[in-house]
Amino acid sequence: MENRHEADEIITRVAEAGDVDAMLACDAYAQAHPERGEAVRAAVGKGHCQVAIRAGLVAGYVVTHGDFFGYSFVSLVVVAPAQQRCGVGRRLLAAAAAACQTRKLFTSTNASNGAAQGLFASAGFVRSGRIDHLDEGDPELVYVRFLP
């Protein structure tokens, strides 16, 4: 399924194996941590990943899982540095919500990650809780978006 929005020229679709190299190229963490690439390849293989295409190039991707206390969970949103603050992250979260099979979509980020917190708020997520002791001194903030 492809979502086209002419105004900002961002297309989202289910990621394919041929997209993975370009996805990882826009992910600085993946370039330094091979296990991230393995996890992304596995998610793509299971159909748990969507990609954003802008101006013909991979602009970012989102990974979801359906195993968070019976709800869907966005485990990763990556936007290429040159594509940040252009609506790519919001479009990816909207695509994850559109594909969601549950009434709630959860995600999380560290308390220190103000950019992700702002993105989640702009995409309709609200704070749902906090988990301590995952990263010492930097609590994990949980967010939820209620879906129709």
Side-chain angles (χ1 to χ4, degrees):
M1 185 168 119
E2 191 172 284
N3 300 318
R4 182 178 294 274
H5 301 275
E6 296 296 330
D8 53 15
E9 302 172 84
I10 300 168
I11 299 167
T12 57
R13 61 170 169 74
V14 174
E16 301 168 354
D19 297 320
V20 173
D21 288 342
M23 291 163 56
L24 298 178
C26 70
D27 184 347
Y29 186 88
Q31 293 170 25
H33 299 87
E35 64 275 8
R36 165 92 120 225
E38 294 167 17
V40 169
R41 285 182 203 288
V44 169
K46 294 176 183 175
H48 294 169
C49 189
Q50 294 194 56
V51 66
I53 308 294
R54 185 166 188 242
L57 301 172
V58 170
Y61 65 95
V62 62
V63 176
T64 57
H65 298 281
D67 55 1
F68 186 72
F69 298 98
Y71 294 100
S72 293
F73 185 85
V74 172
S75 61
L76 186 60
V77 179
V78 173
V79 178
Q83 301 294 330
Q84 293 174 0
R85 307 239 184 262
C86 297
V88 174
R90 277 191 311 277
R91 186 60 48 78
L92 286 165
L93 289 171
C100 185
Q101 300 293 309
T102 61
R103 301 282 312 231
K104 298 175 191 174
L105 177 60
F106 286 87
T107 192
S108 70
T109 191
N110 288 98
S112 64
N113 191 341
Q117 292 174 53
L119 171 62
F120 298 154
S122 74
F125 287 80
V126 295
R127 282 274 306 271
S128 179
R130 169 182 157 146
I131 302 170
D132 292 314
H133 309 296
L134 290 175
D135 293 325
E136 289 303 324
D138 196 4
E140 191 78 6
L141 304 179
V142 180
Y143 289 80
V144 63
R145 180 170 168 191
F146 298 96
L147 303 171

